[in-house]
Amino acid sequence: MLERVRIQKIMEPKEIAEVQSLNESIWGSQAIPSHQLLAAVQNGGLILGAYLDEKLIGFNYCFVGYRHGKMYLHSHMIGVEKTYREQGVGELLKHAQQEYAKEHGFQLVIWLFDPLEAYMANLSFLKLNAFSFQYENDYYGPLKDDFNEGLPSDRIVVEWWIERDRVEDSLDELEEEAEEIVPWSLTDGLPVLDIEGEFQQEQLYYKDAYLLPIPQFLQKMKVESPRLAEDWRYKVRTILTTLFEQNYAIVRVKKNKEYVHSYLLVRRSLLAL
């Protein structure tokens, strides 16, 4: 299927209307208005569309950001029609975004995502070689769309340096040595994190690398056990905030067959981050 997907830059009102329709089908009332999307792309923003046989099945919306004296491309939203998710469409869009960034002199692309969403974790850290060491509590405030409703809108900030070299060998060794910072277990067929409350926020963490489990299917968990999803939210918030403050960064995801995947967190000094 992927070989038939075409990625193109979107500029015209008719194309914007198609993006807005897909946007609305994914995020409902939280969708960005079409007039705002049109204004953005006519003033330095970028929307990339993924087309399958002339049908829009995905898009990536970004705009120019500036902070700490640096210009970067802020990738605000990526959406793929439900039928075509987890088939590589998001990765195609991100690589097209990478080419755009190179052509226009951007060295850095930044985006945010829910740290409990395994799909975005895999895309960001496994496929794109990005990293994160910044956590934002309830970044957007309450959100009412299907993806976000029911939990605080926590996000991690992801940095994707376009020309950064991969360090696979070093990460392989660190992943092999890393231990889970807290255990997880199964209760009624659902994964539970640190059921005994072993994590100590005041502790000084000293190892080169740790593994932190996250649920493979957050949305399924939210339906089956909203309280458990909330429990994951606050525990992962505490652990990531603590480790980020102690100069660790998420640099990879370790995939497992079922229930959970795990973030690989490594001392930033080891990888010059």
Side-chain angles (χ1 to χ4, degrees):
M1 186 273 290
L2 277 183
E3 66 275 5
R4 292 162 44 214
V5 175
R6 171 175 54 86
I7 307 295
Q8 74 169 50
K9 187 176 176 181
I10 286 176
M11 292 291 294
E12 300 300 324
K14 182 180 178 182
E15 299 167 334
I16 294 287
E18 292 178 340
V19 170
Q20 172 61 0
S21 178
L22 179 55
N23 186 0
E24 204 165 61
S25 73
I26 297 172
W27 282 282
S29 62
Q30 297 289 333
I32 300 173
S34 56
H35 60 81
Q36 183 176 333
L37 292 174
L38 182 60
V41 299
Q42 291 181 349
N43 291 276
L46 171 71
I47 299 178
L48 295 168
Y51 291 85
L52 177 64
D53 300 331
E54 305 308 313
K55 176 188 176 183
L56 182 72
I57 63 169
F59 71 95
N60 186 194
Y61 167 49
C62 47
F63 47 83
V64 178
Y66 180 85
R67 68 175 181 179
H68 306 313
K70 293 180 180 178
M71 301 282 287
Y72 58 90
L73 205 58
H74 182 87
S75 184
H76 177 61
M77 183 177 285
I78 186 167
V80 177
E81 186 179 321
K82 188 173 182 179
T83 309
Y84 302 101
R85 288 176 195 158
E86 299 190 40
Q87 297 185 49
V89 178
E91 188 175 0
L92 284 181
L93 285 163
K94 295 302 285 186
H95 283 301
Q97 183 187 66
Q98 181 183 40
E99 291 305 311
Y100 177 90
K102 286 180 181 178
E103 290 171 5
H104 291 80
F106 293 101
Q107 297 180 336
L108 174 65
V109 181
I110 286 179
W111 61 90
L112 297 89
F113 75 88
D114 185 332
L116 299 184
E117 285 287 1
Y119 168 73
M120 281 302 299
N122 293 335
L123 176 62
S124 300
F125 303 121
L126 266 184
K127 296 182 178 181
L128 300 179
N129 194 35
F131 57 85
S132 175
F133 49 80
Q134 182 179 341
Y135 197 101
E136 299 288 347
N137 294 351
D138 201 20
Y139 184 77
Y140 296 109
L143 295 174
K144 301 299 182 182
D145 59 277
D146 291 343
F147 279 105
N148 295 289
E149 189 170 16
L151 291 178
S153 59
D154 288 21
R155 296 293 186 265
I156 52 175
V157 180
V158 178
E159 296 188 12
W160 189 27
W161 290 88
I162 299 301
E163 303 292 346
R164 179 171 173 256
D165 294 331
R166 300 187 74 90
V167 286
E168 297 296 344
D169 292 343
S170 298
L171 294 186
D172 288 344
E173 294 174 11
L174 288 164
E175 183 179 310
E176 190 172 332
E177 297 169 2
E179 298 178 0
E180 286 186 343
I181 193 161
V182 289
W184 67 277
S185 54
L186 283 180
T187 299
D188 298 327
L190 292 172
V192 181
L193 185 67
D194 193 16
I195 198 167
E196 299 295 334
E198 297 179 21
F199 184 77
Q200 299 296 317
Q201 195 170 359
E202 300 78 15
Q203 182 176 327
L204 183 63
Y205 292 89
Y206 62 90
K207 293 185 178 180
D208 288 341
Y210 293 97
L211 293 170
L212 171 62
I214 59 169
Q216 283 192 24
F217 304 108
L218 173 64
Q219 299 303 323
K220 178 175 181 287
M221 180 183 291
K222 283 170 61 178
V223 172
E224 296 183 5
S225 180
R227 286 187 179 181
L228 180 56
E230 188 175 23
D231 184 68
W232 274 92
R233 165 66 82 232
Y234 290 115
K235 286 178 178 175
V236 168
R237 174 194 286 184
T238 298
I239 294 169
L240 283 181
T241 300
T242 300
L243 290 181
F244 287 170
E245 288 176 350
Q246 295 190 25
N247 291 315
Y248 287 86
I250 300 171
V251 293
R252 183 186 274 185
V253 171
K254 180 179 181 181
K255 298 187 75 172
N256 300 309
K257 289 183 178 179
E258 53 186 353
Y259 301 116
V260 300
H261 295 321
S262 297
Y263 285 129
L264 175 65
L265 289 116
V266 173
R267 283 195 175 281
R268 290 170 56 184
S269 58
L270 294 177
L271 301 175
L273 299 179

